[in-house]
Amino acid sequence: MSRSVLSHFLTLSHSPCSRFTPSLCCGFPVKYMEGTGLVRRSRRPIGLRGTGFPSICSVSASEPVVQESSPSSAKKRVVSGVQPTGSIHLGNYLGAIKNWIPLQNTYDTLFFIVDLHAITLPYETQQLSRATRDTAAIYLACGVDTSKASIFVQSHVRAHAELMWLLSSATPIGWLNKMIQFKEKSRKAGDENVAVALLTYPVLMASDILLYQSDFVPVGEDQKQHLELTRELAERVNYLYGGRKLKKLGGRGGAIFKVPEPLIPPAGARVMSLTDGLSKMSKSAPSDLSRINLLDSKDVIANKIKRCKTDSLSGLEFDNPERPECNNLLSVYQLISGKTKEEVAQECQNMNWGTFKVLLADSLIDHLHPIQIRYEEIISDSAYLDRVLAEGSKRAADIADATLNNVYQAMGFLRR
Ligand code: ATP
Ligand code: MG
């Protein structure tokens, strides 16, 4: 059952080691664990047990640390979230939110608004709570169904920040220094002045995922490296504190954390800026012309598409590295129209930019219109939204607290 829903995603178990982060894959955790003097070789790999997929990224250790703790009949769990750092755009939608919708029919799903992540760069305090509500309303408008999924605000479940502190003590700083997003964002923000939180935010992200014993995390490609770090951290904590060590402390033994898999869609995982086909579309990019926001009006969408960067070559084609804008805009059209790549390639091969831009703008307007109508209904019913978030955080806290208590016990804290 799980496989058919997942079959269109790329997972780490399916793909070779990350081309972005070779040092984080395969031998990486062993290297760091070796530094702790705790790794001895055995034939039993630590890996993705219980996911139903063979893992090519595995490490070896002296004792069987990762054991499936939940019964195999239990639904597998999916978690994901978006930062309330600005307007949700087409990249967030195609790379993440749109892909959540089919998953909620098969999996136990929790979708949260990661407001604690939104303070890692300077932000407007006046806007944070508004952006948080807007993000929740957009989740609902895009089709997250609260009879199947939970929606909650990250800061409403205190275990996220608490587990992050515990995980920080097991995270080598070298792992964080390698994070591409930290390097890029800190460079843009002026290196020396960036907050420590920008460096440590992948540990919070690991906490967000590991608290829920998540099996799968649907994200865009930019989060792949952070997911790899989460997996390595889960294995490291399982090794350092799980198994027999936990049992000696009176715990249940076994794994402390499940090792999660990212789900990265083959198309839409990296929607590029409208003004630069080599940069990712981002909420934090200074120019609003670089992105289509889900709530942009018809006129704004038409204007942004009209002004977006193109090239001077004739005909339109996918996968030409010399034409990143062309590939990006065709991919967006493909995903929004629901057509196959071959259909789009054929339909657009002889088009000029003027004709294609009108086609793309109209498709975007038609696709986003129902989402915008639903958003307006939801955001104007604040009691409903409050109820959804309260119910979501209650359910999330129950799961998160169980994991957190287990971690405290495994790490040797005096129990309350
Ligand atoms: P910021 O610039 O503040 O980091 P963002 O646009 O990168 O914002 P996030 O809230 O960091 O958005 O990411 C939310 C989700 O959207 C993540 O799963 C991320 O991988 C995905 N995502 C973000 N940008 C894109 C994009 N351009 N294409 C595909 N997916 C994306
Ligand atoms: Mg981001």
Side-chain angles (χ1 to χ4, degrees), residues 67-86:
Q67 292 156 7
E68 188 59 79
S69 52
S70 57
S72 56
S73 59
K75 268 189 179 179
K76 290 191 183 297
R77 187 168 289 143
V78 170
V79 302
S80 198
V82 174
Q83 304 183 65
T85 38

Side-chain angles (χ1 to χ4, degrees), residues 83 85 92 181 185 201 222-223 280 282-284:
Q83 304 183 65
T85 38
N92 305 136
Q181 209 163 87
K185 285 192 172 178
Y201 120 93
D222 62 315
Q223 293 302 323
K280 177 183 96 70
S282 269
K283 284 188 249 102
S284 54

Side-chain angles (χ1 to χ4, degrees), residues 77-382:
R77 187 168 289 143
V78 170
V79 302
S80 198
V82 174
Q83 304 183 65
T85 38
S87 304
I88 292 193
H89 54 73
L90 211 53
N92 305 136
Y93 176 64
L94 297 175
I97 304 171
K98 186 166 179 276
N99 305 312
W100 300 350
I101 310 308
L103 295 171
Q104 63 187 348
N105 296 324
T106 309
Y107 297 101
D108 179 17
T109 40
L110 295 128
F111 300 120
F112 38 102
I113 299 99
V114 289
D115 55 347
L116 293 171
H117 290 278
I119 63 169
T120 50
L121 287 170
Y123 70 102
E124 292 289 334
T125 51
Q126 308 287 326
Q127 283 168 19
L128 183 59
S129 66
R130 168 78 211 231
T132 302
R133 291 180 77 80
D134 279 355
T135 307
I138 287 179
Y139 288 2
L140 291 162
C142 288
V144 175
D145 176 349
T146 52
S147 69
K148 299 171 185 164
S150 299
I151 299 180
F152 66 95
V153 178
Q154 180 193 30
S155 65
H156 294 180
V157 179
R158 291 177 187 264
H160 288 252
E162 224 170 310
L163 179 63
M164 185 216 172
W165 180 249
L166 301 181
L167 292 179
S168 298
S169 74
T171 312
I173 196 151
W175 291 15
L176 299 178
N177 282 330
K178 284 175 201 255
M179 294 295 108
I180 294 166
Q181 209 163 87
F182 170 69
K183 289 183 192 165
E184 286 177 358
K185 285 192 172 178
S186 58
R187 200 181 314 118
K188 280 185 199 154
D191 286 323
E192 283 302 303
N193 293 320
V194 295
V196 171
L198 190 65
L199 177 69
T200 55
Y201 120 93
V203 187
L204 179 58
M205 184 167 159
S207 160
D208 300 338
I209 296 165
L210 300 179
L211 267 180
Y212 299 98
Q213 305 293 347
S214 314
D215 295 278
F216 301 111
V217 187
V219 283
E221 201 178 74
D222 62 315
Q223 293 302 323
K224 193 168 159 190
Q225 195 186 34
H226 293 156
L227 252 299
E228 285 164 354
L229 184 138
T230 299
R231 288 158 53 90
E232 311 306 2
L233 194 50
E235 290 186 339
R236 185 175 164 94
V237 171
N238 285 340
Y239 184 79
L240 292 175
Y241 303 109
R244 287 204 291 269
K245 292 168 200 147
L246 176 53
K247 238 181 182 156
K248 276 187 199 152
L249 290 170
R252 59 168 169 70
I256 296 168
F257 296 126
K258 219 175 231 186
V259 182
E261 273 269 10
L263 296 179
I264 299 178
R270 194 168 178 84
V271 176
M272 308 310 276
S273 158
L274 296 181
T275 50
D276 172 10
L278 296 174
S279 302
K280 177 183 96 70
M281 188 177 280
S282 269
K283 284 188 249 102
S284 54
S287 170
D288 195 53
L289 287 175
S290 67
R291 58 189 162 254
I292 301 285
N293 302 308
L294 258 52
L295 301 180
D296 278 346
S297 71
K298 192 175 157 194
D299 291 346
V300 169
I301 294 174
N303 183 46
K304 284 179 177 174
I305 296 297
K306 196 170 164 190
R307 294 176 62 179
C308 75
K309 188 174 174 199
T310 55
D311 55 39
S312 53
L313 300 175
S314 59
L316 304 179
E317 59 186 331
F318 281 104
D319 299 326
N320 181 344
E322 307 289 305
R323 307 184 70 187
E325 288 80 17
C326 186
N327 187 62
N328 185 46
L329 296 172
L330 285 178
S331 301
V332 167
Y333 175 59
Q334 180 202 327
L335 290 163
I336 290 294
S337 66
K339 294 177 182 172
T340 64
K341 190 173 176 181
E342 291 68 34
E343 285 167 341
V344 170
Q346 203 164 27
E347 180 185 357
C348 303
Q349 62 185 339
N350 297 319
M351 270 186 200
N352 60 36
W353 279 116
T355 313
F356 176 70
K357 282 184 168 187
V358 173
L359 179 68
L360 176 60
D362 287 348
S363 306
L364 283 167
I365 291 164
D366 288 350
H367 188 94
L368 296 181
H369 183 68
I371 294 175
Q372 295 174 350
I373 301 280
R374 280 200 297 276
Y375 165 83
E376 288 303 335
E377 286 165 10
I378 293 158
I379 203 70
S380 58
D381 188 350
S382 53

